Amino acid sequence: MKKLLTILLLVLAFTGVSAQDCLLEKAPVPDLVQDYAGILSEGEEQALRQALIAFNDTVSNEILIVTVTDLCGYDKAKFTYTLGEKWGVGKKGKDNGIVIMVKPKEIDGRGDAFIATGRGLEGVLPDAIAKRIIENEMIPYFKQRDYYSGISSAAATAMEITAGEYSADEYVQPKLSLKKFMPFIFGIIAFIFIMSMKVGQTRRYASSNGLGFWAAWSLMSAASRSHSGSYGNFSSGGGSFGGFGGGSFGGGGAGGSW
């Protein structure tokens, strides 16, 4: 009896720790790209982030990309739409949020992905189309461990459909689409964005320290190599996302595994 009680207490203690670490129990982070699984480079994160911010600014739809190492004991569907609901992804009243969740296979031998659609986008991006995006745009890349290309292709497709560039029915038909070039385009955006930030920072550093531009560039480059990059540094420049708007999710979406 004592052994059983001890085991029960250990299980409860472990469950409590897991719940505290569960993403669903944390306050919303005002960011459209959250790579907790560490499968994206800093440049890839920034490229996706800037594209999604620009999309949100022009169309108002909010697309959250999140990679995780565990699903907090839920299946991939419930985890993803629960996250969207708790965090309020999308605008209140419009419910125009999308959550693209990826759990890489390298974590526990099973890869999972799910696209959850807010109530207001369920008709625009039906479950069957979300399933096709998972199977056609994501999993083929993920099987090659190319997570960035799969995520960027899925995000581009979701943006195109929900912005009305073509319908869900048209997506089913083979056609040349901008999404095929999105990994390359996102890479160019990231490079230009990072370089423009670095040039601006270098000019300010050179001016405040009485240095020439290239001398300042060399010093800053040496300093950056001695300190690991921080995702938080991104907030120092460029476009920004003000936070989720209180959207609602009803369980729409689809997923897949590999």
Side-chain angles (χ1 to χ4, degrees):
M1 184 66 181
K2 288 183 178 180
K3 288 183 178 180
L4 181 60
L5 181 59
T6 301
I7 292 173
L8 180 60
L9 290 173
L10 287 173
V11 170
L12 290 173
F14 177 79
T15 303
V17 172
S18 299
Q20 290 175 359
D21 293 337
C22 177
L23 189 61
L24 297 178
E25 303 302 323
K26 295 183 179 180
V29 178
D31 188 5
L32 294 174
V33 181
Q34 302 187 34
D35 181 27
Y36 297 103
I39 57 177
L40 300 172
S41 70
E42 183 179 357
E44 290 168 348
E45 279 191 59
Q46 292 179 349
L48 289 166
R49 186 176 290 114
Q50 285 303 297
L52 295 176
I53 289 173
F55 181 69
N56 175 240
D57 289 343
T58 55
V59 180
S60 87
N61 295 343
E62 295 176 5
I63 299 179
L64 167 64
I65 294 172
V66 59
T67 74
V68 299
T69 57
D70 72 88
L71 301 176
C72 304
Y74 295 97
D75 61 42
K76 56 182 172 287
K78 187 171 183 179
F79 174 88
T80 309
Y81 67 70
T82 299
L83 181 65
E85 177 72 18
K86 283 195 170 187
W87 284 17
V89 181
K91 300 294 187 294
K92 188 174 183 179
K94 293 185 177 181
D95 300 327
N96 56 344
I98 295 174
V99 179
I100 299 176
M101 184 283 296
V102 177
K103 181 180 73 64
K105 186 174 184 178
E106 291 74 20
I107 300 298
D108 58 9
R110 176 187 172 89
D112 287 305
F114 197 89
I115 298 175
T117 53
R119 295 177 186 275
L121 292 179
E122 290 180 359
V124 180
L125 191 66
D127 296 355
I129 299 303
K131 183 69 173 178
R132 281 180 175 266
I133 293 174
I134 294 283
E135 293 177 345
N136 297 341
E137 315 298 339
M138 302 181 81
I139 290 180
Y141 285 114
F142 292 169
K143 286 181 176 179
Q144 303 172 33
R145 296 189 178 182
D146 186 356
Y147 289 104
Y148 170 66
S149 293
I151 291 171
S152 62
S153 183
T157 303
M159 286 191 284
E160 289 179 334
I161 293 176
T162 58
E165 293 187 29
Y166 53 81
S167 68
D169 290 337
E170 289 173 328
Y171 168 69
V172 176
Q173 302 172 3
K175 64 192 289 295
L176 182 63
S177 172
L178 179 63
K179 66 184 173 61
K180 299 298 182 182
F181 305 98
M182 288 310 280
F184 176 74
I185 293 173
F186 283 161
I188 295 294
I189 293 173
F191 176 78
I192 293 174
F193 178 75
I194 293 170
M195 289 304 295
S196 64
M197 284 183 61
K198 189 169 183 180
V199 168
Q201 291 170 350
T202 302
R203 286 175 175 168
R204 291 190 293 271
Y205 182 79
S207 176
S208 61
N209 291 276
L211 298 171
F213 177 83
W214 292 112
W217 181 282
S218 298
L219 288 172
M220 291 184 66
S221 296
S224 66
R225 285 193 295 271
S226 64
H227 300 283
S228 60
S230 171
Y231 140 81
N233 290 337
F234 175 79
S235 62
S236 62
S240 61
F241 176 65
F244 302 113
S248 178
F249 286 69
S257 301
W258 69 98

